[in-house]
Amino acid sequence: MVLRSCWKSRHKNSCGPAGWIRPALLWFCVTQCVCGIGAVEESKNVVQKDAEFDVTYNDTVTSQNQTIYAFNHTISRNKTEGVRVTVDVLSRGSDSPILFVVRQKQAVLSFQIPLILRGLYQRKYPYNHVGRTLCQPPTRAPSENQFFFVDVSTLSSQGTNYQLRVSRVESFTLQTDTKFSFTASPSQPQYFKYVFPDGVDTVIVKVNSDMTFPCSVMSIQDIQCPVYDLDNNVAFIGMYQTMTKKGAITVQRKDFPSNSFYVVVVVKTEDEACGGPLRFYPLRPDELIDAGNRSKLIDVVVTPAINSEVYVRGMLFILGIFLSFYLLVLLMTCVENKRMKKREVFQIPADMSPAETGQTAASPYEYGSFADNGSTLSSEAITDSATSTDNNYGYIERSLDGVGRSRHESLSSVEEDDYDTLDDINSDKNIVRTKKYLCVSDLSRKDKRILSKKYQIYFWNIATIAVFYALPVVQLVITYQTVVNVTGNQDICYYNFLCAHPLGALSAFNNILSNLGYVLLGFLFLLIILKKDIVHNRALFRNDLNALECGIPKHYGLYYAMGTALMMEGLLSACYHVCPNYTNFQFDTSFMYMIAGLCVLKLYQKRHPDINASAYTAYACLAGVIFFSVLGVVFGKGNTVFWIVFSVIHILATMLLSTQLYYMGRWRLDSGIMRRMLNILYTDCIRQCSGPMYIDRMVLLVLGNIINWSLAAFGLLERPNDFASYLLAIAICNLLLYFAFYIIMKLRSGERIGCLALVCILFTAVVWGFALFFFFQGLSTWQKTPAESREHNRDCILLSFFDDHDIWHFLSSIAMFGSFLVLLTMDDDLDTVQRDKILAF
């Protein structure tokens, strides 16, 4: 046999080049071949057997003998049959493993028994029963006979008994919409072939099991040899994902030139990747660990995905839903314009005050409530009050000529620092802002141009923040998606894989498209605010007394910022859903913090325009919130020190804000704060027992402190993994508390809620209820491993294109838009009420 190979080599000139060296090299080759024959005959006996399929061969192998099994296999171009080699070692204790080498026409497969598979920390798991499927090389002929050989050898001098069986896999090719069941284990992986049928460009491969563990991996690989079907190499090529009970991968025909692919299922040696327990650490580095029974029964089914018509229908649906809001707003605007034209017929003369027209609503505090609203200062005030002066900080009549003239001046030429608006009467601040009952007129004395410019800074700042924040985010998520597409690692992103429809390079286009509502409705809100801003400026230009002296002061800068934040929430949520995971969840929540903070500021600004926080202070605080959000995501998981520090900061911030709100900013945090606090305790609690002067504010702040202290205690005790959502829950709870307080105080003050505002409140509440229902469905969660997250995946429920989370996007964008409208319209009933008769609470 060796002589024949050497003879062929000589005729192929493999022993040396032509010329004068050929005789010498020929003699050298012949000598080596003769010596090799003697060595083989002395060292090993090679036996070749003609073998058959579905026959079990029991044999013994030693270092002195080598057995070769020859199989004749017919390959058809139109039919693919799998061939599976199963080997079992019957005798154990040999120091050297048995080596099995399967030689095919275009591929070689080799493995040893016992098969050693490694886990974490170099744990070694031996397997004595191995089953492998042979890679089937393609053939161009209609039918072709091919031989393949199974070589069995070992270096052990002791005889080792083994069983060898080669069988055909009849159902090797998967059928569309047909479930197929099989069993796999770490040493017996399985893979099957699927061919795209005509007219189908995209399919979803779904793998299911009733068993959570052992952990397994499903992989989609191209039709080529070798097939990577072991735990230590399954991630080398193709797309793959870990799974416990569910797994799904969307496969597109364009990614596979042969119009077919392999579905590979591998059971892992350990369960740690799927969230399972981690085995004990071996006492010795080379100690072999018995893995036990890790067989898993698995079902696989391949179903066609949606076609292009469903994509178009989904896009038209979402455009139709949100563009209908544009039509509704346009219709309401036309109706309002007609009503305004009719009202112009009965227009009130400019020289009449609102009180003379009889349109001013009676205040519930007209009948004696202001009798004790003088300049008495409570001993509670933690401030060094200046001495009182004779200046009256009550309602001051403004010159209409001066106001009208100021409207012709450019706002860009007015800076807040150019005017010393209230410093000249600083003592009156202490008198007025500590009155028992405050009116809006008391807190809206600053020049309107200055305040307008002050609140416009909110819009320009958030626009700048949006640009600098969004550009790196877009770049990062594009990189994420590229990494997923190149590596094929489906565990990087936490999709709902049962309803993830790809488009181009995007893996889940439907989750991105559903965020369009935030952008469209945010832009619509900006248009509404722009229209109201223009109408209000025209009223000021006409010296309309209702616009000048009645109602809640109109400052639209915060509204512009809210609309911009809603649009950015849509953009960043779409970026997050390009590849959702725990590292970029902050993209989805950052502008939620912004929206919650801006809504609270807008509520407070309505009746406290002069003392509301500046844009710089507000955004600095929100930046601190986002900073803690990042720290919590990176370091907060199970870190007791972080939670203690955060809880202390949370409680201190709550107390400082409570003091600021209670005393309307008339206190100072300096070295004398402790002395003044002790003085308050002695005066109001020991020397005389007196209740709080501002009972309404006290009730709000006590409830706020109870809620925030409870949330801080919950975070410290439970330490939730999703810190970003926990932080968002704190913001939403405080917003809802303040909103409820505002509504209650408004009704308690005898004010009413207009019809439009009431409709918006009811509509928004209903939509929020449905939105939260879909939000808590939990189709995926990055708080768990990717395999555990896929257990929550569910099929599409709307138009075969959108899932529960997409519906959450639809409804939450509508609900946020409705919430903004509530803030915009809830005080419309006060447009004809003088500001000195509107309470500030």
Side-chain angles (χ1 to χ4, degrees):
M1 188 172 176
V2 177
L3 181 61
R4 180 178 59 185
S5 63
C6 189
W7 177 258
K8 290 181 179 179
S9 299
R10 188 188 69 176
H11 282 278
K12 293 180 181 179
N13 297 327
S14 61
C15 290
W20 61 272
I21 63 171
R22 181 178 296 173
L25 290 179
L26 178 60
W27 170 253
F28 177 77
C29 289
V30 171
T31 303
Q32 293 299 318
C33 288
V34 173
C35 294
I37 292 172
V40 170
E41 288 178 350
E42 291 178 0
S43 63
K44 182 171 292 189
N45 181 26
V46 179
V47 178
Q48 179 169 323
K49 299 179 180 180
D50 292 333
E52 298 180 358
F53 287 91
D54 300 319
V55 175
T56 302
Y57 294 93
N58 294 285
D59 215 332
T60 302
V61 63
T62 66
S63 59
Q64 302 299 321
N65 69 295
Q66 176 180 354
T67 305
I68 301 176
Y69 297 89
F71 293 87
N72 185 7
H73 182 45
T74 302
I75 297 178
S76 176
R77 183 176 60 186
N78 298 326
K79 182 181 180 181
T80 302
E81 285 186 344
V83 176
R84 190 163 180 83
V85 178
T86 305
V87 180
D88 193 5
V89 174
L90 302 179
S91 60
R92 304 176 183 177
S94 175
D95 295 335
S96 300
I98 303 177
L99 180 63
F100 292 84
V101 179
V102 182
R103 294 180 287 115
Q104 298 174 265
K105 183 179 180 180
Q106 299 180 8
V108 175
L109 173 66
S110 64
F111 56 88
Q112 70 175 43
I113 294 183
L115 178 65
I116 306 298
L117 296 177
R118 296 181 181 270
L120 290 176
Y121 310 111
Q122 298 301 313
R123 292 182 176 88
K124 297 179 180 179
Y125 300 92
Y127 294 91
N128 291 303
H129 185 71
V130 177
R132 304 290 296 275
T133 303
L134 302 184
C135 180
Q136 296 300 308
T139 179
R140 295 183 178 180
S143 180
E144 179 183 356
N145 289 331
Q146 291 186 3
F147 285 90
F148 67 90
F149 304 91
V150 180
D151 301 352
V152 184
S153 62
T154 184
L155 295 179
S156 174
S157 59
Q158 300 177 355
T160 306
N161 297 327
Y162 65 90
Q163 287 183 346
L164 172 67
R165 183 183 179 88
V166 178
S167 58
R168 290 184 174 91
V169 182
E170 299 295 337
S171 54
F172 183 69
T173 302
L174 299 175
Q175 303 299 319
T176 306
D177 290 326
T178 302
K179 184 173 71 172
F180 179 73
S181 301
F182 59 92
T183 302
S185 68
S187 62
Q188 301 179 76
Q190 299 273 9
Y191 66 85
F192 304 92
K193 183 180 180 180
Y194 180 80
V195 180
F196 282 96
D198 295 336
V200 176
D201 294 327
T202 307
V203 296
I204 302 178
V205 181
K206 303 176 183 178
V207 179
N208 301 294
S209 177
D210 294 332
M211 305 169 61
T212 302
F213 299 112
C215 179
S216 54
V217 179
M218 66 171 296
S219 172
I220 304 297
Q221 300 181 21
D222 201 0
I223 304 295
Q224 62 181 12
C225 298
V227 177
Y228 297 96
D229 59 349
L230 290 177
D231 185 21
N232 56 8
N233 62 18
V234 68
F236 286 179
I237 194 172
M239 299 179 290
Y240 64 93
Q241 61 180 223
T242 55
M243 60 161 286
T244 51
K245 290 185 175 181
K246 287 183 181 180
I249 295 180
T250 301
V251 186
Q252 301 182 77
R253 182 195 291 264
K254 66 180 181 63
D255 297 329
F256 297 92
S258 62
N259 295 328
S260 57
F261 56 86
Y262 284 137
V263 179
V264 184
V265 178
V266 178
V267 177
K268 296 182 71 65
T269 57
E270 295 176 339
D271 298 327
E272 193 270 342
C274 295
L278 193 61
R279 284 180 167 270
F280 63 90
Y281 193 82
L283 298 178
R284 295 186 301 274
D286 296 330
E287 180 181 355
L288 299 179
I289 303 174
D290 184 12
N293 182 19
R294 293 187 63 82
S295 298
K296 188 169 188 176
L297 181 61
I298 296 173
D299 301 329
V300 60
V301 61
V302 183
T303 59
I306 61 174
N307 54 28
S308 58
E309 294 180 359
V310 180
Y311 279 85
V312 174
R313 191 161 61 242
M315 288 185 281
L316 292 178
F317 171 79
I318 191 172
L319 288 174
I321 289 293
F322 294 108
L323 290 181
S324 63
F325 282 88
Y326 281 77
L327 295 177
L328 180 61
V329 170
L330 180 61
L331 179 62
M332 294 181 65
T333 303
C334 293
V335 172
E336 184 180 358
N337 288 339
K338 289 185 179 180
R339 186 181 304 169
M340 292 294 293
K341 290 180 180 179
K342 291 181 180 179
R343 192 176 298 174
E344 287 178 357
V345 179
F346 308 99
Q347 187 175 8
I348 303 171
D351 58 347
M352 295 179 63
S353 66
E356 293 173 344
T357 64
Q359 297 179 11
T360 302
S363 171
Y365 297 95
E366 254 180 25
Y367 308 102
S369 295
F370 293 138
D372 57 348
N373 200 22
S375 57
T376 303
L377 273 174
S378 170
S379 60
E380 301 177 1
I382 311 176
T383 178
D384 293 329
S385 300
T387 56
S388 300
T389 64
D390 293 334
N391 295 331
N392 181 16
Y393 191 66
Y395 183 79
I396 296 180
E397 295 292 339
R398 293 167 174 80
S399 171
L400 297 182
D401 295 336
V403 174
R405 185 172 58 253
S406 67
R407 291 297 141 193
H408 296 281
E409 300 177 8
S410 172
L411 291 179
S412 61
S413 63
V414 181
E415 297 293 341
E416 190 170 1
D417 296 337
D418 294 341
Y419 293 85
D420 192 9
T421 54
L422 287 179
D423 288 341
D424 293 340
I425 50 172
N426 187 62
S427 60
D428 292 89
K429 287 184 183 181
N430 298 321
I431 295 172
V432 173
R433 295 184 189 176
T434 52
K435 291 192 302 184
K436 189 170 184 179
Y437 297 107
L438 277 173
C439 297
V440 172
S441 60
D442 298 325
L443 299 174
S444 59
R445 294 180 49 79
K446 289 186 178 181
D447 190 281
K448 292 184 178 64
R449 297 172 299 162
I450 297 174
L451 287 181
S452 177
K453 189 170 182 60
K454 172 184 176 181
Y455 291 121
Q456 284 296 331
I457 296 176
Y458 273 96
F459 168 69
W460 293 113
N461 277 10
I462 201 170
T464 305
I465 292 170
V467 172
F468 281 92
Y469 193 89
L471 290 179
V473 167
V474 172
Q475 181 182 6
L476 181 61
V477 296
I478 290 176
T479 303
Y480 264 114
Q481 186 66 73
T482 303
V483 170
V484 172
N485 295 338
V486 171
T487 63
N489 186 359
Q490 302 283 302
D491 285 352
I492 296 177
C493 306
Y494 286 71
Y495 301 118
N496 175 18
F497 287 90
L498 294 177
C499 187
H501 304 301
L503 182 66
L506 300 174
S507 299
F509 174 69
N510 54 305
N511 294 147
I512 298 172
L513 178 65
S514 59
N515 288 282
L516 184 61
Y518 296 104
V519 180
L520 293 178
L521 293 183
F523 184 70
L524 177 59
F525 185 73
L526 290 179
L527 294 179
I528 295 173
I529 297 304
L530 178 62
K531 184 256 183 186
K532 284 187 168 290
D533 196 5
I534 293 174
V535 171
H536 179 66
N537 287 332
R538 288 176 178 173
L540 294 178
F541 186 80
R542 298 194 308 265
N543 292 334
D544 189 327
L545 292 182
N546 285 337
L548 291 170
E549 301 296 335
C550 297
I552 299 296
K554 303 296 190 296
H555 302 291
Y556 293 102
L558 272 168
Y559 284 127
Y560 285 118
M562 290 162 56
T564 305
L566 184 58
M567 294 178 65
M568 288 305 302
E569 170 59 28
L571 175 61
L572 293 178
S573 178
C575 291
Y576 164 72
H577 284 90
V578 170
C579 182
N581 57 61
Y582 80 98
T583 59
N584 59 18
F585 183 60
Q586 58 167 310
F587 303 159
D588 195 24
T589 55
S590 294
F591 273 81
M592 290 185 184
Y593 305 141
M594 293 278 192
I595 291 173
L598 291 173
C599 288
V600 171
L601 288 170
K602 186 58 195 178
L603 270 176
Y604 191 75
Q605 183 215 47
K606 280 177 173 288
R607 305 193 184 225
H608 312 81
D610 285 358
I611 60 175
N612 201 24
S614 67
Y616 308 109
T617 303
Y619 288 131
C621 293
L622 292 173
V625 171
I626 295 175
F627 174 74
F628 272 102
S629 174
V630 175
L631 290 182
V633 170
V634 177
F635 304 108
K637 192 173 182 179
N639 191 330
T640 305
V641 175
F642 169 81
W643 281 99
I644 292 175
V645 172
F646 174 77
S647 299
V648 170
I649 293 176
H650 181 193
I651 292 173
L652 289 178
T654 302
M655 296 175 63
L656 291 175
L657 183 61
S658 301
T659 306
Q660 177 74 13
L661 295 177
Y662 187 77
Y663 292 109
M664 293 289 182
R666 305 313 301 152
W667 71 291
R668 288 197 303 271
L669 183 61
D670 53 18
S671 59
I673 184 69
M674 295 302 300
R675 175 180 56 82
R676 295 193 296 272
M677 289 178 62
L678 293 175
N679 185 42
I680 293 298
L681 291 175
Y682 174 76
T683 304
D684 291 354
C685 298
I686 299 176
R687 186 175 179 180
Q688 62 178 8
C689 185
S690 59
M693 174 175 287
Y694 317 112
I695 298 179
D696 296 331
R697 270 181 263 167
M698 179 61 72
V699 170
L700 168 67
L701 296 174
V702 168
L703 289 176
N705 276 268
I706 291 174
I707 291 175
N708 282 277
W709 285 53
S710 301
L711 290 171
F714 171 80
L716 186 59
L717 296 176
E718 297 296 330
R719 295 193 289 274
N721 293 331
D722 189 357
F723 181 79
S725 296
Y726 167 76
L727 205 58
L728 184 61
I730 294 176
I732 292 177
C733 287
N734 283 276
L735 172 60
L736 292 178
L737 174 65
Y738 189 40
F739 180 76
F741 171 80
Y742 192 95
I743 293 294
I744 292 173
M745 290 301 299
K746 180 178 177 66
L747 297 177
R748 188 168 174 264
S749 301
E751 302 171 8
R752 61 182 181 85
I753 299 177
C755 180
L756 179 59
L758 185 61
V759 170
C760 290
I761 291 175
L762 296 177
F763 172 77
T764 302
V766 172
V767 175
W768 269 124
F770 283 104
L772 292 175
F773 170 79
F774 286 102
F775 175 76
F776 287 112
Q777 295 304 304
L779 301 182
S780 62
T781 171
W782 46 260
Q783 300 179 54
K784 301 179 180 180
T785 63
E788 292 175 305
S789 173
R790 274 184 278 275
E791 293 183 19
H792 303 279
N793 289 176
R794 286 200 292 272
D795 292 324
C796 304
I797 63 172
L798 180 62
L799 301 176
S800 300
F801 190 75
F802 299 111
D803 60 15
D804 299 74
H805 198 73
D806 295 323
I807 298 178
W808 150 255
H809 287 161
F810 298 153
L811 296 179
S812 62
S813 61
I814 296 172
M816 285 187 183
F817 177 71
S819 301
F820 289 180
L821 292 182
V822 170
L823 293 179
L824 183 63
T825 60
M826 65 189 304
D827 288 318
D828 286 351
D829 60 302
L830 302 176
D831 285 346
T832 57
V833 179
Q834 286 184 318
R835 290 171 190 166
D836 59 343
K837 293 182 173 58
I838 301 176
L839 286 182
F841 40 78

